[in-house]
Amino acid sequence: GSPPAPREEAAPQAREVVDRTAFAGLHAPDTTPRDDLRIVGALLRNYLQSSAGTDAPPLGFNEEIVRALGGANPWHLVFLPADHPAIDPQGRLCDRWGTPYFFHPLSAAVIEVRTAGSDRKLFTSDDLLVRSTDE
């Protein structure tokens, strides 16, 4: 007899970018590090609002957050494309100095985001921070 026909792999789910304007200013030359933090906070707020009341896994480390924002979430929605220049080769979201943001989940609905600032050292006087609940 003839060999069995190869099985077709299921096509990956389409991923839709939620709002390109939400991340357009991230690391832009005409924005500031504080603007970058506000943008990251807004992306997290949008994600968390979308996941409220669902079985979405809690967010933790930078890489987990980047994957979730990139579409690895129950809705396959992209809040930040995986090829954005602010994402380093290790899959971490970085500040404009190339230092990964520090994400600190305070609850299922609130994540604090810290940038190490120009000295590239966390928890020093030039750090900036925002919470996902900040407007």
Side-chain angles (χ1 to χ4, degrees):
S2 58
R7 291 190 333 192
E8 288 188 33
E9 294 295 320
Q13 292 238 303
R15 297 196 175 182
E16 171 190 341
V17 175
V18 176
D19 179 4
R20 291 189 182 281
T21 61
F23 56 82
L26 186 61
H27 291 205
D30 60 338
T31 61
T32 67
R34 186 159 300 281
D35 294 330
D36 292 343
L37 258 184
R38 283 190 198 106
I39 292 167
V40 172
L43 291 170
L44 287 170
R45 186 169 51 256
N46 292 342
Y47 175 86
L48 293 168
Q49 287 171 349
S50 296
S51 67
T54 68
D55 292 340
L59 299 178
F61 295 110
N62 190 315
E63 297 89 341
E64 293 171 334
I65 289 170
V66 170
R67 280 194 301 275
L69 293 176
N73 57 60
W75 324 277
H76 304 286
L77 293 176
V78 176
F79 295 84
L80 181 68
D83 63 352
H84 192 281
I87 300 173
D88 74 6
Q90 290 77 37
R92 300 172 301 187
L93 185 58
C94 296
D95 63 22
R96 57 181 61 214
W97 297 282
T99 305
Y101 285 104
F102 179 76
F103 293 97
H104 180 210
L106 301 175
S107 71
V110 182
I111 298 175
E112 188 176 82
V113 185
R114 179 181 294 266
T115 174
S118 60
D119 71 359
R120 298 183 175 149
K121 293 183 177 118
L122 283 169
F123 305 105
T124 61
S125 62
D126 73 335
D127 289 9
L128 299 171
L129 79 110
V130 69
R131 289 187 177 175
S132 58
T133 52
D134 295 346
E135 291 293 326

